[in-house]
Amino acid sequence: MIFGLGSVLEKSREYLSTSDHASVVSINLFVALLCACIVIGHLLEEHKWMNESITALAIGLCTGALILLISGGKSSHLLVFSEDLFFIYLLPPIIFNAGFQVKKKQFFRNFMTIMLFAAVGTMISFTIISLGAIEIFKGMNIGSLELGDFLAIGAIFSATDSVCTLQVLHQDETPLLYSLVFGEGVVNDATSVVLFNAVQSFDLSHIDSRTALQLVGNFLYLFVTSTILGIVAGLFSAFLIKKLYFGRHSTDREVAIMMLMAYLSYMFSELFDLSAILTVFFCGIVMSHYTWHNVTSKSRVTTKHTFATLSFVAEIFIFLYVGMDALDIEKWNAISDSPGTSVKVTAILLGLVLVGRAAFVFPLSFLSNLAKKNAHDKIDIRQQVVIWWAGLMRGAVSMALAYNKFTKSGHTQLLGNSIMITSTISVVLFSTVVFGLLTKPLIQLLLPPSTELTRMVSDDALTPKGFMVPFLNGQSSEAELGNNYALPPNTIRMLLTTPTHTVHYYWRKFDNAFMRPVFGGRGFVPVDPGSPTEQSTPLIQ
C-alpha cells in the first residue's frame, strides 16, 4: 500500500513537472510572438493603414494555423483565455492610459457632445442591436438563447474600437474631430460594460415597465458612482504625493504610488460591483491634471512612458490572442453541422452594427450643431461620416464581454454559445481588417490635409500627452528650453486674450482658486531629489 501511494505521488510529481514545463514553453512562445508583433509593426510604421492591431491579428492567425497543424487539429492557441486575465490585468492599463494621455481642454470643451454620443448614442445602438437580434435570431436555428443573452449581444456589439481611425487622424489638424472620436471611443467602452453588467444583474424573465426603469436607474447609478470614485481616487493620490513629497528621497516611490493608486481605484470599483473602466478612466484624467504635476521631472517622463508602454503591450497581447483563438477547433466543431448559420449570424450582426451606429451619429450630430453658435465647433457631414466609420470596428472589449457571457473557463460547447463566439470573432476580424484598411483612404477622400489644416493652441502643452513635444505654434518644448523660454508676440496675445465665459472658464477659475492650492497641479513645481529647496512658482497659464 505504501509502495502504491509512492507510485501515485511520483506520477503526480511527473505530471506537475510536465505541466509546469509546458506552461513555461507556452509563455516563452507567446512573449516571442509579442516581440515579433512589435518588430514587424516598427518595420511597417510608414504604412499607417497597417497598425499593430492588424499586425497582431495576422500573426495570431498564422500562429494559430501552425499550432493547429502541429497538434493534429486539437488546439490553435498557446494560452487558455481567462476573463480575469483580461478584466483584471490587461484592460486597466489600456483605459487608464487613455484617460492619462487625454487632451483635457478639447475633451471637456466637447464634453456634452462626447457624452451625447457615448452615453445616449450607445443606448440607442444597444436598443437597435438587441431588438434586431431578438426579431431575427428567434426565427433561426441557433440554439436556446434567452432575453438576457440578446440584451448582452446588444451591449457586446455596442463597444467600439476606434484605434485605426485615431492613428490616421491628426490632433493638430482636426482637433474637434479627434477629440470626439477619442472621447466617445473611451467613454463608449465604459458605457457598454456598464450596460452589460446592468443587464446581467437583473432577472429579465418577467420584464415590465418597472423593471425597465430599474435597469435605467441602475445604469445611471453605476455611471455616476463609478465616475465619482475615479475622481476621488485621483484627488487622493495628488494630495498624498503633494503633502508627503516622495521625490525628495526616491523618484521610484512616486512612480510606484501613482501606478498602485490607479490600479487600486480599478480594483476598488470591482469590489463594489461598479464600472471599473469608468473609474480608472476618470482617475487617469484627474491624475494627469493634478498628480502628474506634483512629481519631479524625472518621474513625469517615467510615468508617461511607463503607462503608454503597459497599454501598448496589453493591446498587442489581446489582438494576438484573438487571432489565435479565431481558429479554435472546439468552437468550430460545435457549429460544424450549420456553418452557413454562423455566416448568416455574422452578416446580420455586421448589418445591425452599421444601422445602430448610423441611427444615432447623424441625428445626435444635428442636435449638437443646433446648440453651437460657432461654425468651427459644428460637425459637418464629412466629419459625421468619419465619426460613423470610426465606431464600426469592434475589438478587445467586445471579445472580452463575449467570452464572459458565452464561455466557461475558455471552453464553449453549446450550439448557441458557439455560434455567438465564432460570430463575434468573425465580426472583430472583418471589421478590424477590412474597415481598418479602408480607414485611411476614406479620411483622405473626405478630409484632405489642405482643407483641414486648422491648428489650435492648446493649454495642454504641459500634460502627459504634450510633454516633450513642441510647445506652442511649433516652438521648442519646455524640456528643451527650460523655464526661460520666450514666446513670440502672437502667442503672448493669444495667451492674454480674455477667455469666453463658458463652463470651462468658470471651472478654471474654481480650479485655480480652490483645487490647485489643495491638490497641487500646474503651478506646483517640485524639485528633483538632492535640490536644497522646493520651488512653488506658478507656470504660465
Side-chain angles (χ1 to χ4, degrees), residues 311-323:
S311 173
F312 175 72
V313 173
E315 286 184 4
I316 295 178
F317 186 103
I318 293 169
F319 279 100
L320 182 63
Y321 182 86
V322 169

Side-chain angles (χ1 to χ4, degrees), residues 114-167:
I114 289 173
M115 296 306 295
L116 194 64
F117 284 152
V120 179
T122 303
M123 288 289 290
I124 294 174
S125 177
F126 162 77
T127 303
I128 290 177
I129 295 175
S130 298
L131 292 178
I134 292 173
E135 292 298 322
I136 299 174
F137 292 158
K138 277 190 173 180
M140 300 174 62
N141 182 25
I142 59 172
S144 57
L145 295 178
E146 300 177 352
L147 178 61
D149 297 322
F150 290 117
L151 294 180
I153 291 172
I156 289 168
F157 289 98
S158 295
T160 65
D161 183 13
S162 53
V163 173
C164 294
T165 307
L166 289 174
Q167 288 187 341

Side-chain angles (χ1 to χ4, degrees), residues 289-290 506-517 520:
H289 188 68
Y290 295 109
Y506 289 112
W507 158 249
R508 288 295 298 272
K509 290 187 66 176
F510 174 78
D511 190 27
N512 293 332
F514 300 102
M515 299 296 288
R516 287 179 179 172

Side-chain angles (χ1 to χ4, degrees), residues 5 16 31 56 143 276 295 299 339-340 361-362 404 414 446 452-453 469 540:
L5 180 60
L16 290 174
V31 173
V295 300
S299 297
V361 168
F362 299 105
N404 183 275
L414 297 177
L446 295 176
E452 292 294 330
L453 292 176
V469 295
I540 293 179

Side-chain angles (χ1 to χ4, degrees), residues 418-454:
S418 298
I419 288 179
M420 293 316 306
I421 287 292
T422 54
S423 297
T424 303
I425 293 173
S426 301
V427 169
V428 170
L429 289 174
F430 183 87
S431 62
T432 301
V433 176
V434 178
F435 293 163
L437 292 177
L438 294 175
T439 296
K440 185 176 181 180
L442 177 68
I443 292 179
Q444 287 179 337
L445 177 65
L446 295 176
L447 305 173
S450 58
T451 61
E452 292 294 330
L453 292 176
T454 310

Side-chain angles (χ1 to χ4, degrees), residues 80-83 330-331 402-413 417 421:
V80 177
F81 182 85
S82 169
E83 293 85 1
E330 180 186 79
K331 298 177 179 61
Y403 278 112
N404 183 275
K405 179 63 180 178
F406 297 110
T407 67
K408 185 177 182 180
S409 300
H411 299 286
T412 306
Q413 296 177 347
N417 291 357
I421 287 292

